[in-house]
Amino acid sequence: MNAPNLIVAASPHLKDRDTTPRIMWTVAASLIPVILASAFFFGISSILVVLASTMGALLTERWLGRKGSLRDGSAMITGLLLGLSLPPGIPMWMAALGGFFGIAFGKAIWGGLGQNGFNPALIGRAFLQTAFPVAITTWPTPGGNFFALKGDLFALPFMHPVSSIVTSATPLGLFKFEQKLTSLVDLVLGTTGGSVGETSAVVIVLCGAYLAWKGYLNWRSPVSIILTVLVLGQILHWINPAKAADGLFHVFSGGLMLGAVYMATDMVTVPTTNQGRWLFGACTGAIVVIIRVYGGLPEGVMYAILIMNAFTPLINRVTQPRVFGTMKLKEAKS
C-alpha cells in the first residue's frame, strides 16, 4: 500500500527535538560538577545530604505524582537543588523530609509538573528553615578528611545530635554580625563555609553557561539578578560601607549564583516573556540586597525568588507583546 501524501492531524504541527524530559535530565546532569565540587570541599557529607533530599523527592513523586511522572526528571532536579541549598551537616532525615515537602506542597498539590506557582525546591527549604532553624543555619567548616562526617547525619528523627563538629559563620554572616570581609578569591573558588552547593561560584557559572549554550536556560533572568545585585550593592556600599559590603562581595557570596542560575530560570515559576524575565530578575536582585543589608537575616535569595514567584502571573500579563495585526486598548482609544 502506498503511503498517504496528506496527513490531517491536530496541532501542533511543528515539534522541537528537545522534549521536557530531555531538558530536565540535561539540567540534572549539569549539576554533577556542582555536586563534585561540594564533595571536594565538604567530603562525603555533602553527597549524603544531596542523596537524602533526592530520595525524599523521588519517593514522594512516585507516591503522589501521575503514573510515569518520575521519568520527566523534574523531581530529580527538585531533590538535587534542595540538597545543594542545605548545610552539609544537616541530618539526612531532615533533608529527606524537605524533599517530601517540596514535592508534596510545592508541586503535587498544585496539580503536578507545569502547574506549580512556586519553586518546589525552595518550598522544601523554606519549610526546613521554619521547622529546624538551628540545623539549617549550622555551617561546618570546609576541608578535612573526605570520609569524616560534618555533622550527625545519621541522627534519628527528632533526636538531638550527639556528634560535635567545627563550625564557622558564612561570609554573609561574618560581615553582617562582625563586619569581617571574606576575600574575593575565597568567595569565587568556594573555600568558605556555606550550603552544599553555594560555595563554588565559578563552577555554577560554567554549568549555567553550558545550559545557556544548549538553549535550556534563558540568560536574561540570571544576568538581570546579578547586575542588579552588583549595582545596587555597590551603591549602598558607597553610601554606608560599614553596613553594606561591596557589589562583588554580594554577587559571589551566599546562594546568589545557585539561585540565579538554577532557580530563577525555572520554566514554570518565572515569567515567559523576555521583558518579564528582565523585570523578574531586577526585582529579585533588589530584594536580595535589601534583605541582606537591612533585614534580620544575612541571606535573602530564597525569600526573594519565592516572593517574585508570586508576581509571575502579573508580570506575564503586563509584559505580553501585542498580537500581530491588533493594537492595545490605549492605542485604540487615541
Side-chain angles (χ1 to χ4, degrees):
M1 179 180 292
N2 295 329
N5 294 325
L6 176 64
I7 300 176
V8 179
S11 61
H13 303 295
L14 297 177
K15 297 181 180 179
D16 200 309
R17 289 185 302 174
D18 290 328
T19 61
T20 299
R22 182 173 181 173
I23 295 173
M24 293 290 182
W25 285 109
T26 303
V27 174
S30 75
L31 288 169
I32 292 177
V34 184
I35 297 172
L36 294 178
S38 70
F40 176 79
F41 292 116
F42 296 111
I44 196 171
S45 296
S46 61
I47 297 178
L48 292 175
V49 169
V50 173
L51 181 64
S53 63
T54 303
M55 289 305 299
L58 292 178
L59 291 175
T60 307
E61 180 71 25
R62 178 68 180 81
W63 176 32
L64 300 176
R66 289 172 293 185
K67 185 179 179 181
S69 60
L70 275 178
R71 290 195 291 269
D72 64 33
S74 59
M76 173 67 78
I77 294 178
T78 296
L80 293 176
L81 289 178
L82 172 63
L84 289 170
S85 69
L86 298 177
I90 192 171
M92 292 173 63
W93 71 268
M94 291 185 187
L97 183 62
F100 161 77
F101 205 91
I103 293 296
F105 293 92
K107 179 182 173 187
I109 199 172
W110 296 78
L113 179 64
Q115 307 299 319
N116 50 297
F118 298 89
N119 187 292
L122 292 179
I123 290 292
R125 194 186 190 284
F127 166 74
L128 294 178
Q129 178 99 30
T130 305
F132 313 106
V134 175
I136 207 170
T137 53
T138 300
W139 313 103
T141 56
N145 190 325
F146 177 83
F147 294 100
L149 297 181
K150 294 293 185 181
D152 199 1
L153 272 73
F154 295 99
L156 295 176
F158 304 106
M159 299 294 289
H160 291 290
V162 295
S163 65
S164 59
I165 57 173
V166 179
T167 62
S168 62
T170 64
L172 287 171
L174 272 176
F175 182 81
K176 190 172 188 67
F177 301 118
E178 302 179 31
Q179 285 72 53
K180 293 182 179 178
L181 270 176
T182 304
S183 75
L184 187 60
V185 174
D186 289 336
L187 292 175
V188 173
L189 296 180
T191 55
T192 63
S195 298
V196 170
E198 295 180 353
T199 53
S200 185
V202 64
V203 175
I204 296 173
V205 169
L206 290 175
C207 294
Y210 168 74
L211 292 177
W213 173 71
K214 291 282 292 182
Y216 296 165
L217 176 154
N218 193 302
W219 55 271
R220 292 171 179 80
S221 292
V223 169
S224 178
I225 291 176
I226 293 171
L227 285 178
T228 302
V229 169
L230 178 65
V231 174
L232 182 58
Q234 190 62 43
I235 292 174
L236 295 179
H237 173 69
W238 285 332
I239 295 173
N240 188 353
K243 188 176 182 63
D246 59 88
L248 286 176
F249 175 87
H250 282 294
V251 168
F252 291 106
S253 60
L256 185 76
M257 285 296 177
L258 186 69
V261 172
Y262 281 99
M263 297 174 180
T265 54
D266 183 5
M267 296 181 182
V268 179
T269 59
V270 301
T272 56
T273 63
N274 288 336
Q275 280 185 324
R277 292 187 181 103
W278 284 110
L279 180 59
F280 179 93
C283 293
T284 301
I287 295 173
V288 169
V289 175
I290 290 171
I291 292 177
R292 285 181 175 183
V293 177
Y294 300 107
L297 296 173
E299 178 59 290
V301 172
M302 176 185 70
Y303 293 113
I305 295 177
L306 286 176
I307 290 171
M308 289 312 301
N309 282 163
F311 285 93
T312 291
L314 176 62
I315 296 175
N316 274 333
R317 189 161 67 245
V318 300
T319 59
Q320 281 297 320
R322 179 173 59 85
V323 178
F324 183 75
T326 65
M327 62 180 64
K328 293 185 177 180
L329 183 60
K330 185 183 295 185
E331 296 173 348
K333 290 181 178 178
S334 62

